[in-house]
Amino acid sequence: MTTAYRFSFGPWNIHTGADPFGPEVRPAIAFGRKVKLCRELGFQAMQFHDDDAVPEPEKKTPAQLEKAAVEVRKILEAEGLAAEFVAPRLWENPLGIDGGYTANDPAVRHWAIERSKKAIDIARGLGTKLMVLWLAREGTYIRESKNALDSHKYLLAAINAMLEYDKEIEIAIEPKPNEPTDHAYIPTIGHALALASQAADPSRVGGLIETAHALLAGLDPSDEMAFALSLGKLWSVHLNDQNGLKFDEDKSFGMANLRAAYNQVRILELAGYAESGRYIGLDVKALRTQKAGADLRHLTNSRQLFLALVEKVRTFDRKLEQQCVADRDYEALEMAVIAHLMGLK
Ligand code: GLO
Ligand code: MG
């Protein structure tokens, strides 16, 4: 069995700290330094928002975008890194305040699609064909403010426009049930893949599952992953953790729900995810109040815990598992899992 898991994160995962009620607690780190840290910390790829790679994409032509992205690709390659994906960051532009693809204003919907095409130009320059759609503001705070029947048609039209713009590009939808909106339109991977099945080319639309997003939907992240894996549609993951229904914590992987983390690793192992060549993305953030100097530990701890859990999955007593299942003795199976995780004899 290979141990060759490949890891990635995005520039937003090394960030300035603050909570909504307090001052920044850490200085920002320049992009060039983040790239070096990426390699030093044992990661193989970086993930990008379009404007992480090329600032102000709206002001540039497709050729300019691709050229600028090629320069970023050279910086990555100098460190032996690849770009995993590009995500159009619609949610930070004032135009997209009420959603982009599902905005009521047709001019905004047009802008959102054009901006997504620019993200595709950037992906081309970076040398990746994977686009991630985190549908941040594609939902509502007030249900009556949009017609949800139309919203789903608009989402499909936007996906089809991207597939049409570039025949190579593949789209992974990253579902999330809430935050920043109250209700998001694509809350789970089931919704994402149902939409994908209706796209002009369903073979080029899949999903990215984030642990915390499944937890926020009250679902088991490993079952969400299994659903996508069974359809050949898990094209990336955002492993992290979430301590129940609170703010969007992006905690280090396994730090709140160790057993659930074990089960995510177990399902990835059972599916041979490492062999698929897909990345283990860690969408984790340093604790809001963590001071500078110790603010990279969320990445290294998450990676270390993931690899430790791979070992735990591989060394679990399969015979005992089969015996417990055959005997329908689930108390024994559960205790065996916990004893294994805790190193009890
Ligand atoms: C926020 C999302 C966000 C996306 C990223 C890539 O909750 O998880 O971090 O993963 O913007 O699209
Ligand atoms: Mg994410």
mmCIF file with all atom_site columns, all heavy atoms in Angstrom, residues 190-216:
data_model
loop_
_atom_site.group_PDB
_atom_site.id
_atom_site.type_symbol
_atom_site.label_atom_id
_atom_site.label_alt_id
_atom_site.label_comp_id
_atom_site.label_asym_id
_atom_site.label_entity_id
_atom_site.label_seq_id
_atom_site.pdbx_PDB_ins_code
_atom_site.Cartn_x
_atom_site.Cartn_y
_atom_site.Cartn_z
_atom_site.occupancy
_atom_site.B_iso_or_equiv
_atom_site.pdbx_formal_charge
_atom_site.auth_seq_id
_atom_site.auth_comp_id
_atom_site.auth_asym_id
_atom_site.auth_atom_id
_atom_site.pdbx_PDB_model_num
ATOM 1   N N   . GLY A 1 190 ? -25.066 15.683 -1.797  1.00 0.00 ? 190 GLY A N   1
ATOM 2   C CA  . GLY A 1 190 ? -26.194 15.128 -2.561  1.00 0.00 ? 190 GLY A CA  1
ATOM 3   C C   . GLY A 1 190 ? -26.783 16.174 -3.489  1.00 0.00 ? 190 GLY A C   1
ATOM 4   O O   . GLY A 1 190 ? -27.044 15.907 -4.671  1.00 0.00 ? 190 GLY A O   1
ATOM 5   N N   . HIS A 1 191 ? -26.978 17.384 -2.950  1.00 0.00 ? 191 HIS A N   1
ATOM 6   C CA  . HIS A 1 191 ? -27.484 18.480 -3.786  1.00 0.00 ? 191 HIS A CA  1
ATOM 7   C C   . HIS A 1 191 ? -26.489 18.788 -4.915  1.00 0.00 ? 191 HIS A C   1
ATOM 8   O O   . HIS A 1 191 ? -26.872 18.978 -6.068  1.00 0.00 ? 191 HIS A O   1
ATOM 9   C CB  . HIS A 1 191 ? -27.675 19.750 -2.949  1.00 0.00 ? 191 HIS A CB  1
ATOM 10  C CG  . HIS A 1 191 ? -28.773 19.644 -1.936  1.00 0.00 ? 191 HIS A CG  1
ATOM 11  N ND1 . HIS A 1 191 ? -28.612 19.015 -0.730  1.00 0.00 ? 191 HIS A ND1 1
ATOM 12  C CD2 . HIS A 1 191 ? -30.041 20.100 -1.943  1.00 0.00 ? 191 HIS A CD2 1
ATOM 13  C CE1 . HIS A 1 191 ? -29.746 19.087 -0.039  1.00 0.00 ? 191 HIS A CE1 1
ATOM 14  N NE2 . HIS A 1 191 ? -30.630 19.743 -0.751  1.00 0.00 ? 191 HIS A NE2 1
ATOM 15  N N   . ALA A 1 192 ? -25.201 18.836 -4.552  1.00 0.00 ? 192 ALA A N   1
ATOM 16  C CA  . ALA A 1 192 ? -24.176 19.206 -5.542  1.00 0.00 ? 192 ALA A CA  1
ATOM 17  C C   . ALA A 1 192 ? -24.164 18.209 -6.698  1.00 0.00 ? 192 ALA A C   1
ATOM 18  O O   . ALA A 1 192 ? -24.125 18.591 -7.873  1.00 0.00 ? 192 ALA A O   1
ATOM 19  C CB  . ALA A 1 192 ? -22.801 19.264 -4.873  1.00 0.00 ? 192 ALA A CB  1
ATOM 20  N N   . LEU A 1 193 ? -24.224 16.919 -6.362  1.00 0.00 ? 193 LEU A N   1
ATOM 21  C CA  . LEU A 1 193 ? -24.109 15.914 -7.427  1.00 0.00 ? 193 LEU A CA  1
ATOM 22  C C   . LEU A 1 193 ? -25.406 15.744 -8.217  1.00 0.00 ? 193 LEU A C   1
ATOM 23  O O   . LEU A 1 193 ? -25.369 15.356 -9.388  1.00 0.00 ? 193 LEU A O   1
ATOM 24  C CB  . LEU A 1 193 ? -23.608 14.584 -6.845  1.00 0.00 ? 193 LEU A CB  1
ATOM 25  C CG  . LEU A 1 193 ? -22.176 14.674 -6.262  1.00 0.00 ? 193 LEU A CG  1
ATOM 26  C CD1 . LEU A 1 193 ? -21.705 13.311 -5.774  1.00 0.00 ? 193 LEU A CD1 1
ATOM 27  C CD2 . LEU A 1 193 ? -21.176 15.270 -7.255  1.00 0.00 ? 193 LEU A CD2 1
ATOM 28  N N   . ALA A 1 194 ? -26.512 16.079 -7.587  1.00 0.00 ? 194 ALA A N   1
ATOM 29  C CA  . ALA A 1 194 ? -27.762 16.079 -8.357  1.00 0.00 ? 194 ALA A CA  1
ATOM 30  C C   . ALA A 1 194 ? -27.691 17.181 -9.416  1.00 0.00 ? 194 ALA A C   1
ATOM 31  O O   . ALA A 1 194 ? -28.048 16.972 -10.581 1.00 0.00 ? 194 ALA A O   1
ATOM 32  C CB  . ALA A 1 194 ? -28.961 16.298 -7.429  1.00 0.00 ? 194 ALA A CB  1
ATOM 33  N N   . LEU A 1 195 ? -27.194 18.340 -9.009  1.00 0.00 ? 195 LEU A N   1
ATOM 34  C CA  . LEU A 1 195 ? -27.032 19.443 -9.960  1.00 0.00 ? 195 LEU A CA  1
ATOM 35  C C   . LEU A 1 195 ? -26.035 19.046 -11.058 1.00 0.00 ? 195 LEU A C   1
ATOM 36  O O   . LEU A 1 195 ? -26.276 19.262 -12.254 1.00 0.00 ? 195 LEU A O   1
ATOM 37  C CB  . LEU A 1 195 ? -26.534 20.687 -9.203  1.00 0.00 ? 195 LEU A CB  1
ATOM 38  C CG  . LEU A 1 195 ? -26.588 22.009 -9.936  1.00 0.00 ? 195 LEU A CG  1
ATOM 39  C CD1 . LEU A 1 195 ? -28.032 22.450 -10.167 1.00 0.00 ? 195 LEU A CD1 1
ATOM 40  C CD2 . LEU A 1 195 ? -25.847 23.090 -9.131  1.00 0.00 ? 195 LEU A CD2 1
ATOM 41  N N   . ALA A 1 196 ? -24.925 18.421 -10.617 1.00 0.00 ? 196 ALA A N   1
ATOM 42  C CA  . ALA A 1 196 ? -23.883 17.994 -11.565 1.00 0.00 ? 196 ALA A CA  1
ATOM 43  C C   . ALA A 1 196 ? -24.470 17.066 -12.629 1.00 0.00 ? 196 ALA A C   1
ATOM 44  O O   . ALA A 1 196 ? -24.110 17.156 -13.806 1.00 0.00 ? 196 ALA A O   1
ATOM 45  C CB  . ALA A 1 196 ? -22.747 17.288 -10.826 1.00 0.00 ? 196 ALA A CB  1
ATOM 46  N N   . SER A 1 197 ? -25.385 16.199 -12.218 1.00 0.00 ? 197 SER A N   1
ATOM 47  C CA  . SER A 1 197 ? -25.938 15.209 -13.151 1.00 0.00 ? 197 SER A CA  1
ATOM 48  C C   . SER A 1 197 ? -26.758 15.871 -14.254 1.00 0.00 ? 197 SER A C   1
ATOM 49  O O   . SER A 1 197 ? -26.995 15.267 -15.298 1.00 0.00 ? 197 SER A O   1
ATOM 50  C CB  . SER A 1 197 ? -26.791 14.183 -12.406 1.00 0.00 ? 197 SER A CB  1
ATOM 51  O OG  . SER A 1 197 ? -28.038 14.757 -12.046 1.00 0.00 ? 197 SER A OG  1
ATOM 52  N N   . GLN A 1 198 ? -27.193 17.099 -14.018 1.00 0.00 ? 198 GLN A N   1
ATOM 53  C CA  . GLN A 1 198 ? -28.008 17.811 -15.008 1.00 0.00 ? 198 GLN A CA  1
ATOM 54  C C   . GLN A 1 198 ? -27.177 18.735 -15.903 1.00 0.00 ? 198 GLN A C   1
ATOM 55  O O   . GLN A 1 198 ? -27.714 19.405 -16.783 1.00 0.00 ? 198 GLN A O   1
ATOM 56  C CB  . GLN A 1 198 ? -29.078 18.660 -14.295 1.00 0.00 ? 198 GLN A CB  1
ATOM 57  C CG  . GLN A 1 198 ? -30.044 17.849 -13.446 1.00 0.00 ? 198 GLN A CG  1
ATOM 58  C CD  . GLN A 1 198 ? -30.753 16.773 -14.252 1.00 0.00 ? 198 GLN A CD  1
ATOM 59  O OE1 . GLN A 1 198 ? -31.432 17.063 -15.224 1.00 0.00 ? 198 GLN A OE1 1
ATOM 60  N NE2 . GLN A 1 198 ? -30.561 15.515 -13.871 1.00 0.00 ? 198 GLN A NE2 1
ATOM 61  N N   . ALA A 1 199 ? -25.859 18.785 -15.652 1.00 0.00 ? 199 ALA A N   1
ATOM 62  C CA  . ALA A 1 199 ? -25.007 19.710 -16.408 1.00 0.00 ? 199 ALA A CA  1
ATOM 63  C C   . ALA A 1 199 ? -24.849 19.234 -17.853 1.00 0.00 ? 199 ALA A C   1
ATOM 64  O O   . ALA A 1 199 ? -25.115 18.071 -18.170 1.00 0.00 ? 199 ALA A O   1
ATOM 65  C CB  . ALA A 1 199 ? -23.638 19.811 -15.738 1.00 0.00 ? 199 ALA A CB  1
ATOM 66  N N   . ALA A 1 200 ? -24.398 20.150 -18.708 1.00 0.00 ? 200 ALA A N   1
ATOM 67  C CA  . ALA A 1 200 ? -24.234 19.825 -20.134 1.00 0.00 ? 200 ALA A CA  1
ATOM 68  C C   . ALA A 1 200 ? -23.265 18.659 -20.316 1.00 0.00 ? 200 ALA A C   1
ATOM 69  O O   . ALA A 1 200 ? -23.449 17.823 -21.190 1.00 0.00 ? 200 ALA A O   1
ATOM 70  C CB  . ALA A 1 200 ? -23.737 21.060 -20.881 1.00 0.00 ? 200 ALA A CB  1
ATOM 71  N N   . ASP A 1 201 ? -22.222 18.605 -19.478 1.00 0.00 ? 201 ASP A N   1
ATOM 72  C CA  . ASP A 1 201 ? -21.300 17.468 -19.499 1.00 0.00 ? 201 ASP A CA  1
ATOM 73  C C   . ASP A 1 201 ? -21.098 16.996 -18.059 1.00 0.00 ? 201 ASP A C   1
ATOM 74  O O   . ASP A 1 201 ? -20.165 17.435 -17.381 1.00 0.00 ? 201 ASP A O   1
ATOM 75  C CB  . ASP A 1 201 ? -19.954 17.892 -20.135 1.00 0.00 ? 201 ASP A CB  1
ATOM 76  C CG  . ASP A 1 201 ? -18.990 16.717 -20.221 1.00 0.00 ? 201 ASP A CG  1
ATOM 77  O OD1 . ASP A 1 201 ? -19.333 15.616 -19.715 1.00 0.00 ? 201 ASP A OD1 1
ATOM 78  O OD2 . ASP A 1 201 ? -17.897 16.885 -20.788 1.00 0.00 ? 201 ASP A OD2 1
ATOM 79  N N   . PRO A 1 202 ? -21.962 16.095 -17.592 1.00 0.00 ? 202 PRO A N   1
ATOM 80  C CA  . PRO A 1 202 ? -21.902 15.660 -16.183 1.00 0.00 ? 202 PRO A CA  1
ATOM 81  C C   . PRO A 1 202 ? -20.558 15.046 -15.798 1.00 0.00 ? 202 PRO A C   1
ATOM 82  O O   . PRO A 1 202 ? -20.177 15.087 -14.631 1.00 0.00 ? 202 PRO A O   1
ATOM 83  C CB  . PRO A 1 202 ? -23.021 14.616 -16.075 1.00 0.00 ? 202 PRO A CB  1
ATOM 84  C CG  . PRO A 1 202 ? -23.907 14.855 -17.240 1.00 0.00 ? 202 PRO A CG  1
ATOM 85  C CD  . PRO A 1 202 ? -23.048 15.426 -18.329 1.00 0.00 ? 202 PRO A CD  1
ATOM 86  N N   . SER A 1 203 ? -19.836 14.501 -16.778 1.00 0.00 ? 203 SER A N   1
ATOM 87  C CA  . SER A 1 203 ? -18.563 13.853 -16.440 1.00 0.00 ? 203 SER A CA  1
ATOM 88  C C   . SER A 1 203 ? -17.531 14.866 -15.962 1.00 0.00 ? 203 SER A C   1
ATOM 89  O O   . SER A 1 203 ? -16.519 14.497 -15.375 1.00 0.00 ? 203 SER A O   1
ATOM 90  C CB  . SER A 1 203 ? -18.011 13.095 -17.655 1.00 0.00 ? 203 SER A CB  1
ATOM 91  O OG  . SER A 1 203 ? -17.521 14.014 -18.619 1.00 0.00 ? 203 SER A OG  1
ATOM 92  N N   . ARG A 1 204 ? -17.789 16.160 -16.204 1.00 0.00 ? 204 ARG A N   1
ATOM 93  C CA  . ARG A 1 204 ? -16.818 17.183 -15.786 1.00 0.00 ? 204 ARG A CA  1
ATOM 94  C C   . ARG A 1 204 ? -17.289 17.984 -14.570 1.00 0.00 ? 204 ARG A C   1
ATOM 95  O O   . ARG A 1 204 ? -16.744 19.046 -14.279 1.00 0.00 ? 204 ARG A O   1
ATOM 96  C CB  . ARG A 1 204 ? -16.502 18.121 -16.956 1.00 0.00 ? 204 ARG A CB  1
ATOM 97  C CG  . ARG A 1 204 ? -15.669 17.419 -18.037 1.00 0.00 ? 204 ARG A CG  1
ATOM 98  C CD  . ARG A 1 204 ? -15.034 18.420 -18.981 1.00 0.00 ? 204 ARG A CD  1
ATOM 99  N NE  . ARG A 1 204 ? -15.964 18.989 -19.932 1.00 0.00 ? 204 ARG A NE  1
ATOM 100 C CZ  . ARG A 1 204 ? -16.010 20.274 -20.257 1.00 0.00 ? 204 ARG A CZ  1
ATOM 101 N NH1 . ARG A 1 204 ? -15.173 21.140 -19.714 1.00 0.00 ? 204 ARG A NH1 1
ATOM 102 N NH2 . ARG A 1 204 ? -16.892 20.710 -21.133 1.00 0.00 ? 204 ARG A NH2 1
ATOM 103 N N   . VAL A 1 205 ? -18.268 17.470 -13.851 1.00 0.00 ? 205 VAL A N   1
ATOM 104 C CA  . VAL A 1 205 ? -18.724 18.159 -12.632 1.00 0.00 ? 205 VAL A CA  1
ATOM 105 C C   . VAL A 1 205 ? -18.764 17.153 -11.484 1.00 0.00 ? 205 VAL A C   1
ATOM 106 O O   . VAL A 1 205 ? -19.398 16.103 -11.591 1.00 0.00 ? 205 VAL A O   1
ATOM 107 C CB  . VAL A 1 205 ? -20.113 18.813 -12.824 1.00 0.00 ? 205 VAL A CB  1
ATOM 108 C CG1 . VAL A 1 205 ? -20.424 19.710 -11.631 1.00 0.00 ? 205 VAL A CG1 1
ATOM 109 C CG2 . VAL A 1 205 ? -20.163 19.632 -14.118 1.00 0.00 ? 205 VAL A CG2 1
ATOM 110 N N   . GLY A 1 206 ? -18.045 17.481 -10.421 1.00 0.00 ? 206 GLY A N   1
ATOM 111 C CA  . GLY A 1 206 ? -17.986 16.608 -9.246  1.00 0.00 ? 206 GLY A CA  1
ATOM 112 C C   . GLY A 1 206 ? -18.041 17.441 -7.981  1.00 0.00 ? 206 GLY A C   1
ATOM 113 O O   . GLY A 1 206 ? -18.665 18.503 -7.954  1.00 0.00 ? 206 GLY A O   1
ATOM 114 N N   . GLY A 1 207 ? -17.365 16.964 -6.947  1.00 0.00 ? 207 GLY A N   1
ATOM 115 C CA  . GLY A 1 207 ? -17.477 17.667 -5.679  1.00 0.00 ? 207 GLY A CA  1
ATOM 116 C C   . GLY A 1 207 ? -16.190 17.717 -4.871  1.00 0.00 ? 207 GLY A C   1
ATOM 117 O O   . GLY A 1 207 ? -15.239 16.958 -5.109  1.00 0.00 ? 207 GLY A O   1
ATOM 118 N N   . LEU A 1 208 ? -16.181 18.664 -3.950  1.00 0.00 ? 208 LEU A N   1
ATOM 119 C CA  . LEU A 1 208 ? -15.142 18.768 -2.911  1.00 0.00 ? 208 LEU A CA  1
ATOM 120 C C   . LEU A 1 208 ? -15.915 18.763 -1.595  1.00 0.00 ? 208 LEU A C   1
ATOM 121 O O   . LEU A 1 208 ? -16.874 19.523 -1.443  1.00 0.00 ? 208 LEU A O   1
ATOM 122 C CB  . LEU A 1 208 ? -14.350 20.070 -3.069  1.00 0.00 ? 208 LEU A CB  1
ATOM 123 C CG  . LEU A 1 208 ? -13.297 20.409 -2.000  1.00 0.00 ? 208 LEU A CG  1
ATOM 124 C CD1 . LEU A 1 208 ? -12.242 21.371 -2.579  1.00 0.00 ? 208 LEU A CD1 1
ATOM 125 C CD2 . LEU A 1 208 ? -13.857 20.999 -0.721  1.00 0.00 ? 208 LEU A CD2 1
ATOM 126 N N   . ILE A 1 209 ? -15.508 17.908 -0.674  1.00 0.00 ? 209 ILE A N   1
ATOM 127 C CA  . ILE A 1 209 ? -16.220 17.858 0.609   1.00 0.00 ? 209 ILE A CA  1
ATOM 128 C C   . ILE A 1 209 ? -15.347 18.398 1.731   1.00 0.00 ? 209 ILE A C   1
ATOM 129 O O   . ILE A 1 209 ? -14.193 17.991 1.892   1.00 0.00 ? 209 ILE A O   1
ATOM 130 C CB  . ILE A 1 209 ? -16.666 16.419 0.936   1.00 0.00 ? 209 ILE A CB  1
ATOM 131 C CG1 . ILE A 1 209 ? -17.707 15.985 -0.106  1.00 0.00 ? 209 ILE A CG1 1
ATOM 132 C CG2 . ILE A 1 209 ? -17.245 16.338 2.353   1.00 0.00 ? 209 ILE A CG2 1
ATOM 133 C CD1 . ILE A 1 209 ? -18.218 14.578 0.067   1.00 0.00 ? 209 ILE A CD1 1
ATOM 134 N N   . GLU A 1 210 ? -15.915 19.349 2.458   1.00 0.00 ? 210 GLU A N   1
ATOM 135 C CA  . GLU A 1 210 ? -15.226 19.878 3.644   1.00 0.00 ? 210 GLU A CA  1
ATOM 136 C C   . GLU A 1 210 ? -15.871 19.281 4.891   1.00 0.00 ? 210 GLU A C   1
ATOM 137 O O   . GLU A 1 210 ? -17.102 19.331 5.055   1.00 0.00 ? 210 GLU A O   1
ATOM 138 C CB  . GLU A 1 210 ? -15.312 21.415 3.668   1.00 0.00 ? 210 GLU A CB  1
ATOM 139 C CG  . GLU A 1 210 ? -14.733 21.977 4.965   1.00 0.00 ? 210 GLU A CG  1
ATOM 140 C CD  . GLU A 1 210 ? -14.382 23.452 4.914   1.00 0.00 ? 210 GLU A CD  1
ATOM 141 O OE1 . GLU A 1 210 ? -13.946 23.944 3.847   1.00 0.00 ? 210 GLU A OE1 1
ATOM 142 O OE2 . GLU A 1 210 ? -14.530 24.104 5.957   1.00 0.00 ? 210 GLU A OE2 1
ATOM 143 N N   . THR A 1 211 ? -15.027 18.750 5.775   1.00 0.00 ? 211 THR A N   1
ATOM 144 C CA  . THR A 1 211 ? -15.491 18.127 7.020   1.00 0.00 ? 211 THR A CA  1
ATOM 145 C C   . THR A 1 211 ? -16.503 19.009 7.743   1.00 0.00 ? 211 THR A C   1
ATOM 146 O O   . THR A 1 211 ? -17.604 18.587 8.087   1.00 0.00 ? 211 THR A O   1
ATOM 147 C CB  . THR A 1 211 ? -14.293 17.917 7.977   1.00 0.00 ? 211 THR A CB  1
ATOM 148 O OG1 . THR A 1 211 ? -13.216 17.308 7.280   1.00 0.00 ? 211 THR A OG1 1
ATOM 149 C CG2 . THR A 1 211 ? -14.709 17.095 9.177   1.00 0.00 ? 211 THR A CG2 1
ATOM 150 N N   . ALA A 1 212 ? -16.095 20.255 8.001   1.00 0.00 ? 212 ALA A N   1
ATOM 151 C CA  . ALA A 1 212 ? -16.909 21.148 8.838   1.00 0.00 ? 212 ALA A CA  1
ATOM 152 C C   . ALA A 1 212 ? -18.250 21.453 8.180   1.00 0.00 ? 212 ALA A C   1
ATOM 153 O O   . ALA A 1 212 ? -19.253 21.628 8.868   1.00 0.00 ? 212 ALA A O   1
ATOM 154 C CB  . ALA A 1 212 ? -16.152 22.445 9.112   1.00 0.00 ? 212 ALA A CB  1
ATOM 155 N N   . HIS A 1 213 ? -18.269 21.511 6.859   1.00 0.00 ? 213 HIS A N   1
ATOM 156 C CA  . HIS A 1 213 ? -19.522 21.822 6.168   1.00 0.00 ? 213 HIS A CA  1
ATOM 157 C C   . HIS A 1 213 ? -20.525 20.683 6.353   1.00 0.00 ? 213 HIS A C   1
ATOM 158 O O   . HIS A 1 213 ? -21.722 20.920 6.512   1.00 0.00 ? 213 HIS A O   1
ATOM 159 C CB  . HIS A 1 213 ? -19.284 22.075 4.681   1.00 0.00 ? 213 HIS A CB  1
ATOM 160 C CG  . HIS A 1 213 ? -18.389 23.265 4.419   1.00 0.00 ? 213 HIS A CG  1
ATOM 161 N ND1 . HIS A 1 213 ? -18.041 23.674 3.163   1.00 0.00 ? 213 HIS A ND1 1
ATOM 162 C CD2 . HIS A 1 213 ? -17.773 24.128 5.257   1.00 0.00 ? 213 HIS A CD2 1
ATOM 163 C CE1 . HIS A 1 213 ? -17.251 24.732 3.234   1.00 0.00 ? 213 HIS A CE1 1
ATOM 164 N NE2 . HIS A 1 213 ? -17.066 25.019 4.505   1.00 0.00 ? 213 HIS A NE2 1
ATOM 165 N N   . ALA A 1 214 ? -20.030 19.444 6.317   1.00 0.00 ? 214 ALA A N   1
ATOM 166 C CA  . ALA A 1 214 ? -20.920 18.295 6.562   1.00 0.00 ? 214 ALA A CA  1
ATOM 167 C C   . ALA A 1 214 ? -21.418 18.333 8.005   1.00 0.00 ? 214 ALA A C   1
ATOM 168 O O   . ALA A 1 214 ? -22.607 18.110 8.275   1.00 0.00 ? 214 ALA A O   1
ATOM 169 C CB  . ALA A 1 214 ? -20.174 16.994 6.279   1.00 0.00 ? 214 ALA A CB  1
ATOM 170 N N   . LEU A 1 215 ? -20.524 18.639 8.934   1.00 0.00 ? 215 LEU A N   1
ATOM 171 C CA  . LEU A 1 215 ? -20.924 18.698 10.352  1.00 0.00 ? 215 LEU A CA  1
ATOM 172 C C   . LEU A 1 215 ? -21.965 19.791 10.573  1.00 0.00 ? 215 LEU A C   1
ATOM 173 O O   . LEU A 1 215 ? -22.921 19.609 11.320  1.00 0.00 ? 215 LEU A O   1
ATOM 174 C CB  . LEU A 1 215 ? -19.699 18.931 11.245  1.00 0.00 ? 215 LEU A CB  1
ATOM 175 C CG  . LEU A 1 215 ? -18.710 17.760 11.319  1.00 0.00 ? 215 LEU A CG  1
ATOM 176 C CD1 . LEU A 1 215 ? -17.422 18.189 12.046  1.00 0.00 ? 215 LEU A CD1 1
ATOM 177 C CD2 . LEU A 1 215 ? -19.331 16.549 12.020  1.00 0.00 ? 215 LEU A CD2 1
ATOM 178 N N   . LEU A 1 216 ? -21.785 20.933 9.897   1.00 0.00 ? 216 LEU A N   1
ATOM 179 C CA  . LEU A 1 216 ? -22.750 22.030 10.040  1.00 0.00 ? 216 LEU A CA  1
ATOM 180 C C   . LEU A 1 216 ? -24.119 21.636 9.487   1.00 0.00 ? 216 LEU A C   1
ATOM 181 O O   . LEU A 1 216 ? -25.137 22.197 9.890   1.00 0.00 ? 216 LEU A O   1
ATOM 182 C CB  . LEU A 1 216 ? -22.240 23.293 9.326   1.00 0.00 ? 216 LEU A CB  1
ATOM 183 C CG  . LEU A 1 216 ? -21.127 24.069 10.049  1.00 0.00 ? 216 LEU A CG  1
ATOM 184 C CD1 . LEU A 1 216 ? -20.507 25.109 9.119   1.00 0.00 ? 216 LEU A CD1 1
ATOM 185 C CD2 . LEU A 1 216 ? -21.633 24.731 11.322  1.00 0.00 ? 216 LEU A CD2 1
#
